[in-house]
Structures are given as C-alpha cells and as structure tokens.
Amino acid sequence: VKGTSEGTVTDFDGNYSLDVPENTTLVFSFVGYQKEEIVVGTRSVIDVTLMPDIQALQEIVVIGYGVSKKKDLTGTIESVSSKDFNQGAITSPQQLINGKVAGVQIVDGGGAPGAGNTIRIRAGSSISASNDPLIIIDGVPVDNEGIDGARNPLNVINPNDIESFTVLKDASATAIYGSRASNGVIIITTKKGATGALKVDYNGNVSVSTPTQLVDVLGADEYREVLGQKFPENTGLLGEANTDWQDNIYRNAISTDHNVSVSGTIADVLPTRASVGYNLANGILDESQMQRTSASLNLNPDLFDDHLSIDISAKLANIQNNFSATDAIGDAIAMDPTQPITSTDDRFAPFGGYFTWIGAEGNPNVNAPRNGRARIDQRRDRSIVNRFVGNAQFDYKFHFLPELKANLNLGMDYSKSTDDGGVFNPANAGWDSEAFLRGGSTRTYTQLKRNRLLEFYMQYNKNLEDLNSRFDVMAGYSWQHFWRESESEELFGTPNSEGSFARSPYNLTRQENYLVSFFGRFNYVYNEKYYLTFTLRNDGSSRFSEDTRWGLFPSAALAWSISEESFLRGSNTVSNLKLRASYGITGQQDIGSDYGYFGVYTRSQQTAQYLYYDPNNGGYQTIPITTIRPEGYDANLKWEETITYNVGLDYGFLNNRITGTLDVYLRETEDLLNKIPVPAGANLENVLVTNVGSLENRGLEFTFNALAVETADFSWNIGGNFTYNENEITKLTAVEDENYLGVQHEGISGGTGNLIKIHQVGQPAGSFFVYEQVYDENGMPIEGTYVDRNQDGVVDEGDLYVAGNAIPRFIIGLNTSVNYRNWTFSASGRANLDRKVYNNVASNGAFFNKLQTNGQYLSNITTDINNTGFYEPQYFSDYYVQNGSFFRLDNVTLGYSFGEVLGTGSRLNVSATVNNVFVISPYEGIDPEIFNGVDNNFFPRPRTYVLGVNLSF
C-alpha cells in the first residue's frame, strides 16, 4: 500500500490478497522489473504484468569527454554513486569509495585531520614518476601535485556535494586521456540542479574520536628496573616522576560537520544547486585541527528548445590548518618516563620550565630525546589555503542536424596558500637546538598555483536502422597550462639595530608546463549485440624536447552482449552477459620535473671566496661569489608508456538480482624512468634519470552485488570485490649487468643513510632488502647473526635479499546493507593480504644500548625488546619485516527515518556510525595499513563515533 508499510507478497502462482479502501493505491514491484502503481477503485481483482526493468543497463555513466549508457561500455569502468558511499565522519572525498571498487587501493595518510590519501589503480606503473591517477572534477583535470599548507589537495570538495565517482581502469577507457592516464582515471561528478520546486537539505553530524592502540613502551617502574639491571651506573639520571608521555600528547577529539544545500528550478528556467558547508575536524594529537568552509554552485540551464545545455560549476574552499608537531609522536615513545613534563628547577627556566636534557654550556643536548609536550605547546604551524575549481561547459545540438553537437569546456583550478604568520619556534624551544641557539626561528612561505583549461570537441551520433546499426564519432582539442610560484624564507632571532633579522637564503621558484592534445573516439554498435570502440590521442608536453614531445596513444575494444542472442534472450536465469576485450597504450608525463630534458643550473646557498691579485690594493684580495652547479639531464627524455591488455565479463543472473564483473589484465610499462649510474666526469652527479626500464602488472578483478532478500518490509544487499595483482620489474638498465643490484631507496629512522628498499629486476617495485635473521633453539633472534645466503664464507652486502614488499597481492572489499521498515543498517570493510611492513618503531627503539648514552641522557625503549634482547640496533634484520596483512571493519551505521515531519514534504533521518571499528592483523605494530610499508612514528588512526542528522524540506 503506497505511503505505508502495509503490504503482502504473492505466492508462487502470483496470487495475493489485501483488505484496503477504494481510494488506495497499490505499488507492485519485483526484482528486475519496473514498479507499477494502480488505484484500486471499486475492483476486487487486479492482475498486473510487470515490464522488465532495464534501467541498470540503461544507466548513464560518466566517461572521458561525455557520458555513455552502461550497456554500451566496452572498457573496464566502475561507478559508485552517493547512495553507496561510505558513511561517518568523512573529511576527504577519497574516503567515500574506499573498499568499494575492485583494483583500487586507497590508503589515507593516518589520523591527522584531513589527511591526504594515496590512490593506486591496478598498482603502480612507475618507479620514479608519479603513480597517482588522473583526477577530473566536473570536467577539469586537476594537478596531481600537492599544495603547500594542505594535507590533501582534494579537500576543496565537500564530500556532501559529490554525486558519483567513476573509475576508468583499462586502456580502452583511459586512453582518451593519453599521456596522463597510465595510472587510471577518476572522474568526480558533483550534484547538479534539478527541475522542480526548491528543496532544502541539511546534513550535520558531531563526532568523537578516540585513540585506539598506542606503542607499548616501558612504564616508569619497569624502566627503573631494567636500567638498574643493565646500566646501574646511570641510575643517577633517573627522575622521580611517572609520566605516560603518549597519554599526554593524545586526546579525545570532538569534531562537527554541517552542510546546507538548496536545489531546484529558479523562475522555471534555471535548474540550480547551491551549498555551503563547514567542517571542524580535531585530531587526537593535541592541537591538530582542520577547519574547512566550502561553497559550491551549479547552474544547468537548457536553452533554444533544449538544443543548448549549459553546465556552470564552481567550488570554493577556505581551509585553515593547525599542524600539530607530529614529531612529538616519536618524542613520546623515546622519552624517559621517569622525568616530568615541566619542572620548577631553575635549570629548565631557559626552556619555559619544560624538562629538557641539557648538554654543554647549558644548551639542549642535540642527540637526546625531546620533550614532545613542549614541542606541541611551544611550536606554531598554521596555514590558510584558498582554492577554486570551476568551469563552464556549453553543449550545443545543431538545429539543422540534431545528430551533431559541439562541446566547449573552459575551466580553472586556482589555489593560494600561506603560512598564516609563519612556522614559529620560540627562543626557549629546548626541542629545537638551532632555534634555541639563534634566538628563535620563523619560516614563512606562500604558494600560488594556477591551472587553466580549454577543451573543444564535436560529436556525431547516427542510427542506421536499415543496417540495424548505430555509431557515434567524436574529435576534439585540449589545451592546459600549469603555473606554480613559491616563495619561502627563514628568519632567526630578533631584529638588530637596523630592524633586520638573521636570514636563511630567500627562495623564489616559478615553474610552468603545457599540455596540448588532439583526441578522437569512434563507437559502433551492431544489432545491439556487438560493440566496437576505438580511441586515439596525440599529446604534446612541454616537459620533453621537440624531438620527443609528441606521443600517440591508441586503444581498441570489442564487446559481445551474449545475453541478447536468441538462445539467452528473455532468460530469467541469465539476464545479462557481456564479454569484453581491449588493448591500448597510455602515457606518463608526470616525471617530477618541468625541465628535465635540458641543462638546469642551481645557485649555491653559500658564497665561495675567490682569491685574486690586485697590486694597487696591497696584493692578494678575496671576493665572495655565488657558484652555480649543473644538474644532470637527459636531452632525449620522454614519457613512460603503458600497454594494457584486458578481457572482461559483465554478468547478471535472476533478473539482475545478482550482478558483477570479472576482469583479467596485463599492464606492461616501457621506457620506464630509472636512475642509472653514469661514468665519472660525465656529469657532476653520479646518477641520471632516463628511460631505460620496464615493469609489469598482472591481475584479476572480480565484483559481485546481490539482493539476497526482498519483501515488503525487509531487504538485504550484499556486495564485494576481489583483486589479485602481481607486480614485477623486468628491466632497469640499458645494458644487462649481472652485478647491478638495483636502485636502493626509502630511508629509515636510525643510523645514517640507511635505505631499506630496492627496485630490482625480477622483483616487485619497492621490495624490502635485508639480511635473513638466524634464531636460537628458543626462537629468539641471535644478535648480529645472519644467513650466508651466497655461501662465500662471509656475511656482507652480497647476502642481502628481497623479503617481500608492501604492495598487497590480494585486496578484498566487503559491504552489506539491511533495510527493515524505517530502519537501515550498513557495514563495510576491507582486507589487504600477502604484504609486508617494516617495523621501524621497533628496529629503532628496541635495543638496550638506547637506554643511555655515556651518562649524558636516558631514552625509553619499546617492549619488543622482550622478543629480541638486542643490545645494538639491527636495522637490516628481516625480523623487522613483518606480516602486514589485515582486515579492517571501516564503518558500521544504523539509521532511522522518521518520515514526514514539520509539514508536507519534509523528512528527518538520524544515524549513528562507528568508523574504524576494529583491525585484525598479525602485525606487531599499532597499525599495518601504511602505504609505503615503513612504520615510523605513524599518526594513529582514531576510532570515531558519529551522530548524524539529515533534514529535507
């Protein structure tokens, strides 16, 4: 019964009965069929034949330069709409789809408010250039590089304003973007104005974030006992306090988010949506905070009898950050728990009363652990970022030829960031010896970024009914200009008599690059069963010389709708079955430098003294000069190219009650950028970045969605995705060299210049490169004893081996939702399996000799010492390369709809959500989900409890 929860379910033969008044409207529905509404009137028998619902196949999906019906797709494209987004305290847009799309790994940067996210689509295709996907916001491709003063460049978008994410994964879908598409494409579409009366929506929530797991270190009493046993001569340095340093830097944080939107048609001609939002996000690390004030406007009028469609989109955000001192995380782990936070002892008066380990002449000991609480209280680091992303798109369908249309897109991405007064370390900062010795320091910076876009394309659609065919062809031009300007300076002490400060060199950098492109696409459909897509893009990038500037990026795809064949058409069991195959080439021009192909000279920051003879001034004289040095370059530098092969199957069973996809792919990256050694004297640098390598990704993706139960009062949906990926470097040098180990990288805390990872042929990119630990009969690692893997009688660098990597081989996403009358329940979680994490917190914080240093100061150690008993650090032991597999239950939400309130047309919904519910993992650190796989004083992810309200009228 329409408008009520009263209803019934037919039996096997379709029979049913209901007692209802004559003016009742009945709603008939069944999975896979269109709903039918019928007024009862005076009838006592109503038979209904429902029509098949092909809406799922007719669903419009945003693709590169336009839209397409889902049934017409030949590439691997997944779309997630707002109704399927993750729930809870969402501050960054990427969090909305985490775990929702097969082949997509999203890892946030930790628990900092508005933390950035690392996104990988089908793993990385590069080792030296960017692996970030191209992100397009309402038709504007945005710069992948970060913004000074902002943790996450996508925070310009209020998550409440987003309508959908579309992820383009295979080359058939991405090649239309050419030299920027090797790492996939994510298209973000915001909510548009709708026809009809004005509607007001309010979404708000308040949340409480709490620390979950902290690093296990020795408590004060345990510390006194261990120090007394191991180094009794240093017990005189012990204090009388019992300080939990971690407890004193973390807090329970209350945050809030509010968003108001108005949508509808103004004066019956102008569909509009406008919104304003305010987000106050407080982090669990004391003093960490982000405030975002955002506004958006979308105008979507249709003129000249709907021949001209105009989409005007504008998004503006003001983001104010208070960057708490994240170094305090490591300070709190290493600080002696027997010392107080503050003291009235006169020795600490120069440091604002904060306890500080003191060295020679009463200055801070530069090697000792710092007071993390002092670092948080005394340091000031704030920023203000203003960003605008907007465009105007004009789509004109010609009056004399409606099949032909033209599209003009003019866009701008503009940001300006400042330090809001500078990064200030006071003169009494005992935790910053340079600032203390130089009377305090203030570092200032500003940055301006401007990205301008002009795109124009024409598209022709034609139905050839006599040939049972239809096709469309599109061709266009794109121009994009990126400009970046940065200024920075550091001041020390107080002004001198002339009002001047001691200064570090003033830095001003200006950079720009251009992209010019020609592109086209041809789609052909025969008999609504056979599909062909061909795309071609020719890109020119100013980052390469005239000889290598232009690149051609083609792709082709075929699809066969098997379910439209006579032997399956009308089947209730197999409702959709489509086979897809594609091939294409994409590029990568995000190489980290705008001027990598010609000589660049760098000025020295210090002057040199030039000696010369001047007989008129007493002989030899010196004059200070600024030197310049040449940087390495390759005049033939070009983009990397990735060739992708993809075979996929779209399926739907039981009238699309069960749907999903299966894809198998191979991605081969050629002309891989790599750092190679160069002959002595050829350049001042001993390495050169050039195109010499190759890399492969092989994988499988599987998605499924099932409506398990549906009755008049109850429904249950289950969804999930599975990804398998193998990553392997196949070439790194121009000439084969069996003695070439690879490219070591990824520094760690502890020691000097220690690198824990390697890019090596035959191995996944970024693998851990360590020694194989030897254990005693009790399973304890033997200090300094490793396996002689090459059996040459000595353990040295030749025995280092690859011990896994941080790239998960398996990624799983699971979600479910249950609806019972006015109640809703949803949950989603993720698993990353077969991956490793290097526990740098333990390797640099769990050895006995760290407790003391020549009687000068004391340091705490972690309880991992009980598992090793090491006296000296063993940074390259594979003991610290630990199993980083995990399952995380991301969010659980319970909601209730009160239905109509406050009069006609108004509705009220409330919800309660828990984010980061729990993590199951064998990893011995506090959190295994660290993108680069090196756990080094990670900002802990909190557990967050959210109460949300949605009011519409």
Side-chain angles (χ1 to χ4, degrees), residues 204-227:
N205 67 60
V206 61
S207 62
V208 178
S209 298
T210 63
T212 52
Q213 184 178 351
L214 303 179
V215 177
D216 288 330
V217 295
L218 301 182
D221 292 337
E222 186 179 10
Y223 185 86
R224 292 185 177 97
E225 179 181 353
V226 172
L227 187 71

Side-chain angles (χ1 to χ4, degrees), residues 130-429:
S130 172
N131 281 302
D132 296 329
L134 173 64
I135 296 178
I136 301 169
I137 302 173
D138 284 339
V140 180
V142 297
D143 194 345
N144 279 344
E145 296 179 2
I147 298 174
D148 289 350
R151 290 190 177 98
N152 188 341
L154 281 189
N155 280 343
V156 65
I157 312 176
N158 188 325
N160 291 287
D161 291 331
I162 297 177
E163 177 63 33
S164 67
F165 286 79
T166 301
V167 182
L168 316 182
K169 294 188 283 188
D170 74 332
S172 172
T174 62
I176 196 68
Y177 291 108
S179 67
R180 306 180 68 186
S182 283
N183 299 305
V185 180
I186 296 178
I187 301 174
I188 300 176
T189 304
T190 59
K191 297 173 181 176
K192 301 295 190 293
T195 58
L198 291 178
K199 177 186 175 184
V200 179
D201 279 289
Y202 165 76
N203 286 282
N205 67 60
V206 61
S207 62
V208 178
S209 298
T210 63
T212 52
Q213 184 178 351
L214 303 179
V215 177
D216 288 330
V217 295
L218 301 182
D221 292 337
E222 186 179 10
Y223 185 86
R224 292 185 177 97
E225 179 181 353
V226 172
L227 187 71
Q229 293 174 352
K230 301 296 181 180
F231 305 102
E233 68 277 11
N234 289 290
T235 55
L237 295 175
L238 289 169
E240 298 179 356
N242 290 277
T243 304
D244 186 333
W245 289 95
Q246 292 185 86
D247 184 64
N248 277 278
I249 65 170
Y250 293 114
R251 65 182 179 182
N252 293 328
I254 299 176
S255 304
T256 186
D257 183 77
H258 306 277
N259 188 76
V260 178
S261 65
V262 180
S263 61
T265 303
I266 298 175
D268 295 327
V269 295
L270 184 59
T272 303
R273 184 182 187 275
S275 72
V276 292
Y278 175 75
N279 175 242
L280 173 63
N282 288 306
I284 58 171
L285 182 64
D286 205 7
E287 300 296 329
S288 60
Q289 183 185 88
M290 181 193 78
Q291 295 185 67
R292 177 181 59 208
T293 304
S294 62
S296 71
L297 176 66
N298 283 314
L299 305 175
N300 316 107
D302 291 324
L303 307 176
F304 307 127
D305 296 327
D306 295 338
H307 278 260
L308 176 63
S309 297
I310 302 175
D311 289 321
I312 298 175
S313 175
K315 287 160 283 292
L316 180 65
N318 171 267
I319 301 170
Q320 300 183 39
N321 290 292
N322 187 25
F323 298 107
S324 185
T326 54
D327 286 344
I329 296 172
D331 295 338
I333 296 170
M335 198 65 178
D336 171 10
T338 71
Q339 306 299 341
I341 295 174
T342 59
S343 172
T344 57
D345 191 318
D346 290 341
R347 293 180 302 158
F348 306 120
F351 314 112
Y354 289 97
F355 174 83
T356 304
W357 289 109
I358 301 173
E361 300 179 0
N363 296 323
N365 189 314
V366 296
N367 298 312
R370 272 61 163 181
N371 186 323
R373 187 65 246 182
R375 194 191 292 264
I376 289 176
D377 292 342
Q378 294 179 317
R379 186 173 186 264
R380 183 184 185 275
D381 183 357
R382 298 175 182 172
S383 73
I384 297 177
V385 177
N386 292 304
R387 192 174 187 192
F388 168 85
V389 177
N391 67 312
Q393 196 160 179
F394 305 88
D395 194 88
Y396 177 65
K397 183 169 59 177
F398 288 84
H399 281 73
F400 63 89
L401 187 61
E403 295 92 348
L404 179 65
K405 68 176 184 178
N407 185 285
L408 174 65
N409 183 21
L410 304 172
M412 170 74 81
D413 177 6
Y414 174 91
S415 67
K416 185 172 184 179
S417 56
T418 65
D419 50 47
D420 190 22
V423 181
F424 174 68
N425 295 335
N428 60 358

Side-chain angles (χ1 to χ4, degrees), residues 745-758:
H745 63 108
E746 198 68 58
I748 58 174
S749 290
T752 302
N754 286 331
L755 302 174
I756 203 66
K757 286 185 178 182
I758 193 169

Side-chain angles (χ1 to χ4, degrees), residues 844-878:
N844 194 43
F847 54 94
F848 284 122
N849 280 342
K850 189 180 180 68
L851 289 169
Q852 59 82 40
T853 303
N854 299 324
Q856 299 176 20
Y857 58 85
L858 301 178
S859 297
N860 203 356
I861 56 177
T862 75
T863 57
D864 189 65
I865 191 67
N866 299 323
N867 302 321
T868 64
F870 291 158
Y871 275 80
E872 296 292 340
Q874 307 296 315
Y875 296 117
F876 289 92
S877 168
D878 66 359

